[in-house]
Each structure stands twice: as C-alpha cells, then as structure tokens.
Amino acid sequence: MRLTRIETVHLGEHPTLLFVRLHTDEGLVGHGETKYAPDALHGFVHGYAAPLLLGQDPLRIDRHWRTVYEVASRCGAKGVEMRALSALDIALWDLLGQAAGMPLYGVLGGASHDRMPVYNTCAGPVYARSLDRAEGVGRAGVYEDLDAFMTRADELAADLLAEGIRGMKIWPFDPFAAATRGQRIGLAELDAGLEPFRKIRRAVGREMEIMVEGHGLWSLPAAKRIAQAVEEFEPFWIEDLIRPENVGSLVELKRSTRTPMLVSEMLMTRYEYLPVFEARAADLVMVDPAWCGGVSEARKIGQMAEAHNLPVTFHDCAGPINLFAGLHLALNAPNAVYQETVRSFIRTFYPQLVTTNIAIEDGYALPPTGPGLGTALLPEVLKRPDATVVSTPAA
Ligand SMILES: [Mg+2]
C-alpha cells in the first residue's frame, strides 16, 4: 500500500480545527485532526510532511513518526509541527486499523476495558472556537454548560447525574485571573469560585466527581491557595493551576495539597513528560492525542504513566476524530481512568461532521465498531461552502 494524496480540510464554522485525510492506492482514507493555528499547520503538512510521506507505505508508522519528528525538531519540536505530526499519525493508525480490518483499540493490543467512563467538560457548543476561554458565557440555550456551571452548577450537576454522567470539569476561578495576570486571587474571589462546588455537593452530594481546571493561568502561590481552598470538596483532580513547564513548581504545588494533581495536555512528546515522571510531579497524567504526537506518542506516554503506577486520561476539547482516537487509546490502556468528553460538542456539531458519533450509555463510552477509528468525515462536509480542502498528490 502506498500513500497517494494528503488532504487538509478546514471549515469556516470551526476556525481552530484542521482535519487531515491520507489517501492510499488501495482506496483507503485515514482521518486525523488537530487544533489551533490551522494556517501554519496546513503549511507544515503540505510543505514539509507531505514530501516525506507521499509514495511511502503508510503502515510503517514508527518510521514515519521518527522521520517527521526529526524534521520538526530541528528548530524546536513543540507547537505547530507536533500538532501537524499528531494529526498525520492519527490518520496513519486509522489506516492500519482499516487495513487489518480491526478497530484501532484492537491493533493497539486489544481492549483492557469493556467501556470507558467519561466526564463532562462543562463547555458550551461554541467554546474553544477562538482563544477566548470565556466564549459562551452569558449565552442561553441547550448544553450551554459553561454558563450553567458558573450560575447554576446545582441544576447542571443534577442534569448530568440524571444522564448517568458522574464527573464534571469546571473552571470557576478563571474569571478572576485576568485582573492580576494570575498573580493573586483574593479571599472574596476565592469564595465566589467555591460557590459552584457548594452547589454541586448540595444538589448531588458525593455522587459527582469534580475536576478543577486552571488553564495554566495562575502563579504558584495563587495556585496553592486555590488547591487548598477546594480540598474540602474533595475534587478528583486539580489540573493546570500553573503551567507545566517548571517541574519543580509542579512538585511544590502537588506537595502543598491533598487534592490529586493532574499534569497536563499542554506537554508534547514523551520527552516533555519524562521529567514529570522522574520528579513524581503528577498524580494523574493527561495526554491529548491531537497535540502530544498522535496515537503513537499518546500510547507511549500512557505506558510511561503505567510504569510509574499512575492513571492516564485522554484529553478532548476539539473535534470528533480526536475524541475517537482518545477513546481507542483509553480502551486499550490498562491504566486509563477516564475519557474526556464535551456533551455540548457531541450533541451539536459532531453529528454534522462525521459518519458515526461516539456512543455513550450511563456515563460510559462504548467501544467504537468498524475498522480503524470507526468514524470519518461525512462526504458532504468537503463540499460545504465554508470548507477549504487542499490536496497534495504524490509526484
Ligand atoms: Mg485542561
């Protein structure tokens, strides 16, 4: 089998997303996805990666990862190049599964879990279409879960629990960061940020796990203050209260609180996670297959976590291809603890984009059926008026 064409697909409605499609001479099409700075991603995919991959056997995935990584890392491996490689790698694994006639979790080594618990990241349908983290606040409507957790977390928790979803991620301290660029959080702000926790516990007691997101907005002392303040509500984890670059600061934050600490979808490649493991800087590990280096790298980082007796969880706040990739990885990984989901995305725009949507029952994602990822972009998506499809054929 040979790769004959690389396509990128960008949709005006989802300006931060970029889809990749890898075509083969046997008629198979593998799908990948990543997010942020799509113009630059597009440039790397067609200008740098395509000449390395076109004409090659798509099933030599490790070889291709290394080849593209070595080009990408000549001037620093982080950022656009790794996200582009992530999308391409996801598509290669999709092709491997299709060629084998097996679901992706099958070719990864089979399912360690019959189904995977999900939690709901409480974002609304338009969240993360720009870099504005408050996008969706004040919007009314179905599945406006960001506005809901800020104003009526009790109703939201009860609603989620009624669906069988027993975990919710919230970021109620974010609005207070901008005033001091995250250097300080006042006691009154702290108290206001705790209100959703009180409402959740009053409404559903201890039936709901709470994940606390910090988006890397805070200084170390402010993060410590938040971490200690939320302890009484026993969150399942705190996440990215500080940015993850300084491992010593992570260790100091982790040791300052009894709340388990998760690190971090902001890291890319096993090389950035390695010092986190070595320093015992995390209680749980999060990876994003569409950012960290694809299925190949997410799997390796998950296995590094396993070797350190740590659970791994897979990030998704993007599009449906990434969610499917994460779910397959989670089903395979013996140490997977959750797959992240955004119900507002799954129920609003995912069905407009892909042939098969994720199946969730009673708070668990079910194994996808069908070979490879088990989903693909709908043919009509490529013909949408807001679609830009760019294709590079093999020479
Ligand atoms: Mg996060």
Side-chain angles (χ1 to χ4, degrees), residues 169 213 239-240 265 286 315:
K169 184 186 285 183
E213 170 69 83
E239 169 179 347
D240 292 334
E265 84 255 12
M286 169 94 88
H315 177 250

Side-chain angles (χ1 to χ4, degrees), residues 318-341:
I321 302 294
N322 188 38
L323 175 56
F324 270 75
L327 177 56
H328 283 283
L329 284 156
L331 288 165
N332 168 249
N335 57 326
V337 64
Y338 275 112
Q339 169 62 49
E340 180 171 14
T341 56

Side-chain angles (χ1 to χ4, degrees), residues 119 121 133 169 212-215 237 239-240 262 264-266 286 291 315 317 340:
Y119 64 90
T121 284
R133 291 283 185 200
K169 184 186 285 183
V212 185
E213 170 69 83
H215 291 126
W237 71 57
E239 169 179 347
D240 292 334
L262 174 143
S264 160
E265 84 255 12
M266 293 186 199
M286 169 94 88
W291 292 344
H315 177 250
C317 196
E340 180 171 14

